[in-house]
Amino acid sequence: MTDFFGSVDWHGIFIPEIPLIELFIRGTIMYLVLFGLMRVVLKRQTGGIGTADVLVIVLLAEVAGNGFAAEYKSVAEGSVLVATILFWTYCLEWLAHRFAFIGRILHAPTLLLIENGKMLRKNMRSELVTVEELMAQLRENGIESCAEVRRACMEADGMISIIKIDP
């Protein structure tokens, strides 16, 4: 039993080799860069969950995976990076909730795609929504043509919401 526990590098597990503040700064920079890129590029592709949610899931999986696989020299290093990701996620959401102008920057606005039965092709182009994709969304909601739609909007989470014209 002594050999089993004696071969574990306890010092290496708990004592970081990289300064923790450096890990925090690196984690912060990478989080903000990735958040910005995903906010600009991946509005529509994220589906039913928000960009920040996708980012957190991917980053946490990467960071935690490295900690499990001993790619960091210590658990503390992986823990600092996980905490950094969660810290910035919470901070940005708190700021967006507290200050409307920050919310407008961090969360994509709703974009009108159909108004009173007419497709707004300029808006569709800006989000790379094709006529075929929009029509598929209409059919999924039991609608055969745009003439039946009062408004269709691309929501902040990338989903398309549809309001029918009242009969």
Side-chain angles (χ1 to χ4, degrees):
M1 194 67 108
T2 305
D3 290 337
F4 178 73
F5 287 110
S7 65
V8 175
D9 179 12
W10 294 105
H11 184 268
I13 289 175
F14 292 107
I15 307 299
E17 290 185 3
I18 299 171
L20 297 182
I21 190 68
E22 180 181 337
L23 288 170
F24 179 79
I25 292 169
R26 286 175 178 272
T28 297
I29 292 169
M30 289 308 299
Y31 179 87
L32 295 175
V33 166
L34 289 170
F35 184 88
L37 289 172
M38 290 179 75
R39 169 64 178 83
V40 170
V41 176
L42 289 181
K43 177 178 173 186
R44 191 165 65 101
Q45 289 81 352
T46 57
I49 59 177
T51 299
D53 300 325
V54 173
L55 178 61
V56 168
I57 290 166
V58 170
L59 288 177
L60 286 179
E62 177 67 23
V63 168
N66 286 343
F68 287 125
E71 297 203 16
Y72 300 119
K73 299 299 183 204
S74 76
V75 173
E77 292 168 334
S79 298
V80 166
L81 286 174
V82 167
T84 300
I85 292 165
L86 294 176
F87 169 79
W88 283 111
T89 300
Y90 179 82
C91 285
L92 291 178
E93 288 302 318
W94 183 85
L95 287 169
H97 179 73
R98 182 88 168 99
F99 303 102
F101 74 95
I102 293 176
R104 286 190 297 274
I105 292 168
L106 296 180
H107 302 294
T110 300
L111 181 68
L112 201 57
L113 300 177
I114 298 175
E115 186 171 38
N116 297 322
K118 302 226 190 275
M119 287 186 193
L120 303 175
R121 295 190 186 264
K122 178 181 176 189
N123 291 355
M124 290 171 60
R125 272 191 305 276
S126 74
E127 288 303 322
L128 305 174
V129 176
T130 66
V131 172
E132 293 78 19
E133 289 171 320
L134 186 55
M135 291 307 296
Q137 289 292 315
L138 295 181
R139 289 190 298 277
E140 287 177 13
N141 284 278
I143 300 171
E144 291 186 29
S145 77
C146 289
E148 301 174 50
V149 178
R150 181 170 9 132
R151 294 172 59 98
C153 299
M154 172 80 68
E155 301 296 340
D157 65 0
M159 302 298 287
I160 296 174
S161 62
I162 299 168
I163 301 170
K164 294 181 183 181
I165 293 177
D166 295 328

